[in-house]
Amino acid sequence: MAELARTPRQIGTLIQRARKKRGWTQSQLAERAGLRQATISVIETGETSARLESILAVLAALDLEFRVDERSKGRGEDIEALF
């Protein structure tokens, strides 16, 4: 299932959804990713910068991957409607 994310907040929302789908707490995800729970919180809120290495560790722990693709030409409102 592919999801589109263009902002840190959208990435955080997708990570939070994947974590909750597995029934994990932030602490459980942090342990699996080798990070602190506070780092998971920062990533999920998308309000402050998170290191790319941290985001990749979280994605790996959730068995997800990061892909780069050409930007679709939809309007910004269309993208926001996904979240």
Side-chain angles (χ1 to χ4, degrees):
M1 173 172 92
E3 299 274 358
L4 176 63
R6 291 186 173 166
T7 67
R9 181 168 286 181
Q10 291 171 344
I11 292 168
T13 297
L14 294 176
I15 288 171
Q16 184 181 55
R17 284 182 191 166
R19 174 181 61 79
K20 288 182 174 184
K21 182 178 179 180
R22 287 161 178 76
W24 297 351
T25 65
Q26 286 184 346
S27 295
Q28 289 170 316
L29 176 54
E31 184 176 326
R32 286 173 168 86
L35 301 168
R36 297 178 313 119
Q37 177 274 326
T39 303
I40 302 301
S41 179
V42 164
I43 291 170
E44 287 187 358
T45 62
E47 292 180 11
T48 58
S49 297
R51 293 180 30 198
L52 181 58
E53 292 85 2
S54 297
I55 294 170
L56 293 174
V58 168
L59 292 175
L62 291 166
D63 199 27
L64 299 174
E65 62 186 11
F66 178 79
R67 292 179 186 228
V68 177
D69 201 355
E70 290 188 27
R71 187 178 279 261
S72 61
K73 303 301 181 202
R75 295 179 314 211
E77 305 88 53
D78 297 337
I79 301 305
E80 291 302 321
L82 295 173
F83 299 92

